[in-house]
Amino acid sequence: MRLTVFGAGYVGLVTAACFAEMGNHVRCVDVDEDRVARLNRGEVPIHEPGLAPLLERGLAQGRISFTRDAAQGLDGAEVVFIAVGTPPSEDGSADLSHVLAVARTVGALIERRCVIVDKSTVPVGTADRVRETVERELARRGAAHEFAVVSNPEFLKEGAAIGDFMRPDRIVVGSRDPWAIDAMRALYAPFSRNHEKLIVMDPRSAELTKYAANTMLAVRISFMNELAALAEKLGADIEDVRRGIGSDPRIGPSFIYPGPGFGGSCFPKDLRALLRTSHEQDSPLTIVQAAFDANERQKQVLFAKAAKVFGGDFAGARAAVWGLAFKPDTDDIREAPSLELIDALLGAGASVVGYDPEAAANTRAVFAGRDGFSTVDDAYQAARGADVLFVVTDWREFRSPDFERLRATMRRPVLIDGRNLYDARSVRQAGFAYDSIGRAG
């Protein structure tokens, strides 16, 4: 098929590259001139494992290209994906200005029947607004091209997005137009060869499904973090509790790992947007609000643990932070727990040295102009002369450190493990003052 993808950000780029890999011809439209030029040279502007080889093959075989020219991008398109950003507004609602701007562009330029697909995470009712916007533009220019608007939310995990797209658990398609559903079924057929993965529903149900999925996962995380705080006070070990409940097939092991709180571009933003929708509809989501509030508190836990060790006095202290991205295998630091920790440490008078395999540059940009923060290119270099080491992101390289070397390089051997990566007894035997999440012993 001939596809157009508006937005060469995380979702748009992964979508375009994966469809091109399956033999489709994809044009990706983006307003950022530098990004377009870099992508046409094969330079991937984000860290996502497996994305660069797909882009390289697509460019070499002429199946993918990037442009700022919307008319060129839409020429001959059978399916048009809207994958632009929906940043939160001041009231927490999703800002649809970019989505609706694309809808106006599509309505102004299409010259044939096509399917318009909302790939961005959008509030319930957005498909209707996109359809109305396109209809107005078509009427304004006196055109009568047939089109359908489909909701097709993405379910991509940063760091594993290529696998998620190529081997999806489900493909949600929200539409009432049989011909559009048939087009989506044909487009996704290469991803559903083993068994049918399309779940067809109405557009509003598809839009709500996306928010419901992310919210459910966020609720699980916040529940475990609150349970971890209780476990510490009761003298229980949350890791044993996690294994105990995770073995129940009704619960399962995913998203029940305690930690410093969730971040990233999806969970916090989507919870805010869903809460705003529930407020507008006078249908309170008290569990969702509680999960959001619990996560805001959880992001303060690592600093609070260190404050107990230092008696609240960080003046002259040097802190090392292992892990800056909100999760491993990405350079995304949006709403990452590390940012709140670093900000609190700097505000308390400590200096902070961070290390992350991918996210150092992005973090330096956030703290540009703030005295006391720097990054280095080696985990042990970050710990050199440190009075406390925080493990914030569970990158694989942090899982089995040389504790003897680490102890020798630190000025004060205090280790606060925000991911429960280490055996407490072994770390203490190595000479560290050790604390973690939800483990009293």
Side-chain angles (χ1 to χ4, degrees):
M1 285 189 184
R2 302 186 69 85
L3 314 178
T4 300
V5 177
F6 277 87
Y10 183 82
V11 173
L13 188 51
V14 170
T15 299
C18 289
F19 276 133
E21 179 74 3
M22 290 299 184
N24 298 287
H25 291 271
V26 185
R27 288 195 181 108
C28 198
V29 182
D30 197 276
V31 297
D32 188 324
E33 184 174 2
D34 179 65
R35 176 174 287 239
V36 167
R38 290 179 61 192
L39 286 166
N40 278 321
R41 294 194 300 266
E43 300 174 13
V44 179
I46 59 174
H47 177 74
E48 180 59 41
L51 179 55
L54 293 190
L55 179 60
E56 183 179 354
R57 281 197 296 273
L59 289 169
Q61 297 169 8
R63 292 197 303 264
I64 190 170
S65 62
F66 300 86
T67 182
R68 294 180 65 236
D69 187 333
Q72 179 187 26
L74 284 166
D75 184 28
E78 300 167 78
V79 182
V80 179
F81 286 87
I82 302 176
V84 294
T86 54
S89 301
E90 289 185 6
D91 62 2
S93 62
D95 180 355
L96 294 178
S97 60
H98 303 304
V99 171
L100 297 179
V102 172
R104 286 192 294 272
T105 298
V106 173
L109 294 174
I110 55 171
E111 295 293 346
R112 56 165 293 163
R113 185 172 87 159
C114 70
V115 179
I116 301 169
V117 182
D118 284 336
K119 199 67 173 172
S120 303
T121 300
V122 292
V124 175
T126 300
D128 294 334
R129 295 184 64 182
V130 169
R131 186 187 68 255
E132 292 164 1
T133 301
V134 176
E135 286 174 344
R136 281 196 302 270
E137 288 299 316
L138 288 171
R140 183 185 59 79
R141 64 188 179 103
H145 302 298
E146 186 179 11
F147 73 94
V149 177
V150 172
S151 175
N152 175 220
E154 53 85 13
F155 298 98
L156 306 177
K157 299 185 295 292
E158 290 194 44
I162 302 303
D164 288 343
F165 199 104
M166 302 296 263
R167 299 178 295 278
D169 299 313
R170 75 285 203 199
I171 301 164
V172 172
V173 171
S175 177
R176 293 189 178 91
D177 296 277
W179 70 270
I181 294 169
D182 288 343
M184 296 298 287
R185 196 180 301 278
L187 179 60
Y188 277 109
F191 305 93
S192 304
R193 295 191 66 191
N194 291 336
H195 62 275
E196 179 59 70
K197 296 179 182 179
L198 249 70
I199 304 175
V200 179
M201 58 188 72
D202 65 89
R204 288 183 172 238
S205 296
E207 290 164 341
L208 184 56
T209 295
K210 168 63 177 180
Y211 281 109
N214 279 354
T215 300
M216 176 65 76
L217 299 177
V219 167
R220 286 168 67 101
I221 294 170
S222 283
F223 170 75
M224 287 303 292
N225 283 334
E226 288 204 312
L227 198 64
L230 178 62
E232 287 187 13
K233 293 186 176 182
L234 294 176
D237 187 327
I238 194 64
E239 292 299 309
D240 289 337
V241 175
R242 175 182 63 78
R243 288 188 287 270
I245 65 174
S247 61
D248 185 330
R250 297 170 299 174
I251 298 172
S254 298
F255 289 86
I256 58 171
Y257 286 79
F262 57 76
S265 63
C266 293
F267 286 6
K269 176 175 71 72
D270 291 354
L271 262 66
R272 290 188 187 100
L274 187 59
L275 286 168
R276 180 63 187 177
T277 298
S278 74
H279 175 74
E280 292 171 349
Q281 300 298 319
D282 193 25
S283 182
L285 294 173
T286 54
I287 292 175
V288 179
Q289 185 67 62
F292 183 86
D293 294 341
N295 191 63
E296 294 299 292
R297 293 191 298 270
Q298 193 67 16
K299 289 184 177 182
Q300 303 169 17
V301 165
L302 297 186
F303 178 79
K305 287 179 176 291
K308 287 182 180 180
V309 176
F310 287 83
D313 182 10
F314 289 91
R318 178 183 172 96
V321 177
W322 281 6
L324 304 171
F326 85 95
K327 63 179 289 188
D329 293 320
T330 182
D331 59 356
D332 193 344
I333 61 168
R334 285 173 287 184
E335 304 212 35
S338 63
L339 302 184
E340 193 154 329
L341 173 62
I342 293 167
D343 183 66
L345 290 166
L346 294 176
S351 62
V352 182
V353 181
Y355 168 72
D356 189 284
E358 297 294 339
N362 289 341
T363 311
R364 286 197 304 272
V366 170
F367 291 99
R370 292 281 298 272
D371 292 334
F373 177 72
S374 60
T375 63
V376 293
D377 296 328
D378 177 80
Y380 293 97
Q381 185 181 354
R384 185 174 301 150
D387 298 290
V388 58
L389 168 62
F390 298 90
V391 179
V392 185
T393 312
D394 51 337
W395 286 94
R396 285 183 291 273
E397 66 180 89
F398 300 155
R399 294 183 183 178
S400 298
D402 183 337
F403 287 110
E404 183 176 347
R405 178 184 175 189
L406 194 59
R407 171 69 181 84
T409 198
M410 294 180 68
R411 182 165 63 186
R412 184 175 177 182
V414 177
L415 199 167
I416 299 178
D417 178 3
R419 296 292 179 175
N420 292 357
L421 295 183
Y422 311 127
D423 176 72
R425 180 180 299 177
S426 298
V427 176
R428 292 186 179 119
Q429 287 178 347
F432 287 85
Y434 177 76
D435 201 355
S436 56
I437 305 292
R439 299 190 290 180

